[in-house]
């Protein structure tokens, strides 16, 4: 069956809501909570904060009653009786459609060490984005996870070879050697992404990370104490700010589906003001009238104190952050923090 993925902005072939949940977890690293989930089925814009509520809504509201009965009967049959192989293949074809491979099957068939590395990196990034988790704890989690993977996969590899030998399988065959090689490579999911530098380089190469550019603002003079003589000296310090190139971000954000959404933007009904395009200023600007597809950016500014707000160093290390959002996008997308992009840090 085809269900709409609000991340991919297109329909995907999955085996019911379970397949959609598998797709969101494995392809978009969406957990049970923490991110706004948009239904998107049949144009439905209802949002959820819990994955279970999101999936329950789709199953009850957008999957037909007959389809739900078929799914329940299929689950019951799989649990209570051993289905014939041919009948199982036939029912799978009826479920997904002829010559269509479910997304989760394609994912498992193409699972490799690079996929495992992306899952491991996603774990590290989620831990690092949590303010209450220090860097030392992230390193400890990485070390313990590496040990757990190594011990578990070594034991599974040993048991697999033992069972193969008990059934007379030639363990020196090339395909068995390739499988054992995969066991050994998967034992360290953090290979190549163990340091901050390696993680940054990998995200730029594989995950479309847009790195900031450091731009100098000027030179100021600070007082510093010479460790040898104890004298107070004047030290020149270059002030800089970090700029995230807006064109690089737009190349990543403006997918074909998002471009179609922007092109389909319409004004609100008469008498309603639901956005900037409904206001008088928008109507008076000739540029926006002549270029209706021009991107409109809403800029935000906020101060961030990076040290203890009750300490003596407050104000000295304060940072100014500039953000922006694209007003052309629907409100259901702009209401998510994922639609707010960093522009500069100074």
């Amino acid at each position: 069956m085809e269900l709409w993925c609000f991340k991919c902005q297109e329909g995907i072939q999955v085996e019911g809501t379970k397949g959609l949940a598998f797709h969101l977890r494995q392809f978009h690293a969406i957990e049970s909570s923490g991110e706004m989930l948009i239904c998107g089925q049949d144009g439905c814009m209802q949002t959820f904060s819990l994955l279970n509520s999101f999936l329950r809504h789709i199953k009850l509201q957008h999957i037909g009653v007959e389809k739900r009965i078929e799914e329940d009967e299929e689950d019951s049959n799989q649990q209570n009786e051993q289905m014939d192989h041919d009948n199982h293949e036939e029912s799978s074809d009826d479920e997904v459609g002829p010559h269509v491979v479910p997304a989760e099957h394609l994912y498992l068939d193409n699972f490799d060490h690079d996929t495992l590395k992306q899952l491991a990196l996603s774990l590290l990034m989620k831990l690092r984005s949590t303010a209450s988790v220090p860097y030392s704890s992230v390193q400890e989690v990485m070390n313990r996870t590496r040990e757990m993977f190594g011990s578990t996969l070594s034991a599974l590899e040993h048991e697999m070879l033992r069972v193969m030998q008990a059934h007379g399988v030639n363990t020196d065959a090339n395909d068995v050697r390739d499988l054992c090689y995969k066991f050994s490579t998967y034992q360290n999911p953090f290979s190549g992404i163990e340091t901050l530098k390696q993680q940054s380089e990998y995200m730029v190469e594989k995950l479309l990370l847009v790195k900031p550019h450091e731009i100098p603002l000027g030179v100021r003079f600070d007082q510093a104490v010479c460790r040898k003589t104890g004298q107070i000296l004047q030290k020149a310090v270059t002030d800089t700010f970090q700029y995230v190139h807006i064109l690089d971000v737009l190349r990543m954000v403006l997918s074909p589906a998002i471009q179609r959404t922007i092109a389909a933007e319409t004004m609100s009904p008469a008498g309603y003001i639901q956005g900037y395009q409904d206001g008088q200023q928008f109507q008076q600007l000739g540029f926006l009238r002549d270029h209706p597809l021009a991107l409109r950016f809403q800029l935000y500014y906020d101060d961030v104190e990076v040290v203890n707000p009750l300490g003596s160093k407050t104000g000295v290390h304060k940072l100014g952050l500039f953000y922006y959002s694209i007003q052309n996008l629907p409100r259901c997308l702009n209401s998510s923090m994922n639609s707010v992009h960093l522009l500069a840090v100074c």
Side-chain angles (χ1 to χ4, degrees):
M1 97 177 24
E2 183 177 284
L3 292 177
W4 181 264
C5 174
F6 68 96
K7 284 290 188 178
C8 299
Q9 288 294 307
E10 61 182 1
I12 58 173
Q13 293 290 341
V14 293
E15 294 181 345
T17 53
K18 294 181 181 179
L20 179 60
F22 183 92
H23 171 84
L24 293 175
R25 289 192 181 100
Q26 300 300 333
F27 287 89
H28 304 297
I30 293 180
E31 304 298 335
S32 58
S33 62
E35 183 171 349
M36 185 180 69
L37 308 172
I38 305 173
C39 175
Q41 316 301 322
D42 304 321
C44 176
M45 290 289 104
Q46 189 166 345
T47 59
F48 302 86
S49 58
L50 298 177
L51 183 59
N52 287 338
S53 302
F54 168 76
L55 298 174
R56 188 184 307 112
H57 164 80
I58 293 177
K59 187 172 183 179
L60 296 178
Q61 302 297 329
H62 299 287
I63 298 179
V65 176
E66 296 180 358
K67 194 65 177 178
R68 296 204 304 271
I69 295 176
E70 292 177 4
E71 287 185 343
D72 293 339
E73 290 179 350
E74 183 179 352
D75 292 340
S76 177
N77 291 335
Q78 289 177 354
Q79 294 175 2
N80 300 326
E81 65 180 5
Q82 186 69 28
M83 297 182 65
D84 181 75
H85 180 70
D86 295 335
N87 292 335
H88 177 70
E89 289 184 345
E90 182 179 354
S91 64
S92 298
D93 290 340
D94 294 338
E95 172 79 10
V96 182
H99 309 296
V100 176
V101 180
E104 56 267 35
H105 292 181
L106 290 174
Y107 174 80
L108 295 176
D109 291 339
N110 298 321
F111 192 92
D112 55 11
H113 187 255
D114 199 53
T115 307
L116 178 62
K117 187 184 296 185
Q118 292 183 17
L119 293 175
L121 183 60
S122 175
L123 169 65
L124 296 179
M125 293 301 103
K126 286 183 179 296
L127 290 175
R128 289 180 57 189
S129 63
T130 304
S132 59
V133 180
Y135 178 76
S136 58
S137 298
V138 176
Q139 291 297 113
E140 188 67 18
V141 169
M142 183 172 62
N143 295 333
R144 294 294 174 260
T145 304
R146 186 191 300 112
E147 294 176 2
M148 181 184 66
F149 264 73
S151 301
T152 304
L153 292 179
S154 295
L156 289 176
E157 180 183 4
H158 176 76
E159 183 67 15
M160 178 196 69
L161 293 176
R162 187 190 65 80
V163 173
M164 285 184 173
Q165 292 172 356
H167 288 78
V169 178
N170 181 16
T171 56
D172 293 329
N174 292 333
D175 53 351
V176 177
R177 290 182 177 272
D178 292 340
L179 184 58
C180 292
Y181 175 75
K182 287 186 176 181
F183 271 98
S184 62
T185 55
Y186 288 2
Q187 290 183 10
N188 183 13
F190 304 102
S191 175
I193 54 171
E194 297 177 352
T195 64
L196 292 177
K197 181 179 180 181
Q198 290 176 338
Q199 295 167 11
S200 177
E201 292 175 350
Y202 183 83
M203 287 189 289
V204 171
E205 180 183 359
K206 300 289 186 178
L207 304 179
L208 303 178
L209 173 66
V210 180
K211 296 191 68 174
H213 300 276
E214 187 175 24
I215 300 177
L217 293 175
V219 178
R220 58 182 174 85
F221 290 91
D222 283 349
Q223 292 184 346
V225 179
C226 179
R227 294 183 178 180
K228 294 182 178 180
T229 62
Q231 296 179 345
I232 298 178
L233 304 176
Q234 295 290 330
K235 181 180 179 181
V237 179
T238 302
D239 285 326
T240 64
F241 79 97
Q242 307 294 320
Y243 168 65
V244 182
H245 206 292
I246 190 171
L247 294 180
D248 293 338
V249 175
L250 291 179
R251 291 189 188 99
M252 180 180 62
V253 172
L254 297 180
S255 63
I258 294 297
Q259 294 182 32
R260 291 193 297 269
T261 302
I262 292 177
E265 182 186 22
T266 58
M267 297 181 62
S268 302
Y272 292 88
I273 298 180
Q274 298 179 332
Y276 178 74
Q277 74 276 14
D278 301 323
Q280 183 178 5
Q281 188 181 56
F282 178 86
Q283 304 298 328
Q284 295 175 348
L285 292 176
F287 176 82
L288 294 179
R289 289 199 311 268
D290 298 337
H291 303 83
L293 297 181
L295 296 179
R296 306 187 303 273
F297 298 98
Q298 183 172 359
L299 193 64
Y300 306 89
Y301 174 81
D302 194 12
D303 287 328
V304 175
E305 187 64 75
V306 295
V307 298
N308 185 0
L310 300 179
S312 60
K313 301 296 183 180
T314 55
V316 179
H317 302 288
K318 182 180 291 186
L319 297 178
L321 303 180
F322 291 89
Y323 311 89
Y324 66 92
S325 61
I326 304 175
Q327 284 194 345
N328 306 66
L329 297 178
R331 294 184 301 276
C332 62
L333 295 180
N334 274 335
S335 60
S336 172
M337 289 296 295
N338 292 332
S339 297
V340 181
H341 309 287
L342 182 63
L343 179 63
V345 180
C346 58

